């Protein structure tokens, strides 16, 4: 799936549920929440959680959790970009150009 197709799908899916109309400040809050969940998933994968109230998960389960949490971050990034009429392709292209210029490549 191409990046612009992903963004369109996310906008449609979230939109049908009324989740795409939140203000930028609320969307950033969701993004921060999901970023924290990525941090937790990375920690669990790398060093574990060591909590008696949580079951031990296999590396495959931990990896799947990380994949899902990264997807949640991407969904929120996509919706935030959409609020400002920015395509993910446009954002990535700008990021790439900035890095190439910064490192004289």
């Amino acid at each position: 799936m191409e990046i612009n197709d992903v963004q369109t799908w996310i906008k449609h899916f979230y939109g049908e549920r009324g989740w795409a109309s939140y203000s930028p400040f609320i969307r950033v809050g969701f993004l921060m929440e999901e970023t924290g969940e990525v941090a937790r998933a990375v920690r669990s994968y790398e060093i574990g959680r060591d909590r008696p109230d949580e079951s031990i998960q296999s590396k495959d389960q931990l990896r799947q959790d990380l994949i899902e949490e990264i997807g949640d971050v991407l969904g929120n990034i996509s919706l935030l970009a959409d609020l400002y009429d920015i395509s993910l392709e446009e954002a990535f292209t700008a990021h790439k150009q900035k890095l190439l210029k910064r490192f004289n490549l």
Side-chain angles (χ1 to χ4, degrees), residues 40 43-44 48-57 62:
R40 181 179 180 178
R43 177 186 173 198
S44 295
R49 297 264 305 150
D50 193 27
R51 287 185 51 161
D53 60 336
E54 293 179 359
S55 61
I56 296 175
Q57 295 180 306
L62 293 170

Side-chain angles (χ1 to χ4, degrees), residues 51-67:
R51 287 185 51 161
D53 60 336
E54 293 179 359
S55 61
I56 296 175
Q57 295 180 306
S58 70
K59 281 291 189 181
D60 287 341
Q61 290 170 317
L62 293 170
R63 184 175 184 276
Q64 187 60 41
D65 288 346
L66 181 56
I67 289 168

Side-chain angles (χ1 to χ4, degrees), residues 14 19-20 22-37 72-73 76-77 79:
Y14 280 64
W19 303 342
Y22 294 118
S23 75
F25 291 113
I26 291 172
R27 182 59 52 203
V28 167
F30 288 148
L31 175 59
M32 294 302 98
E33 178 183 347
E34 296 301 343
T35 302
E37 291 175 11
D72 291 344
V73 167
N76 279 282
I77 289 285
L79 290 169

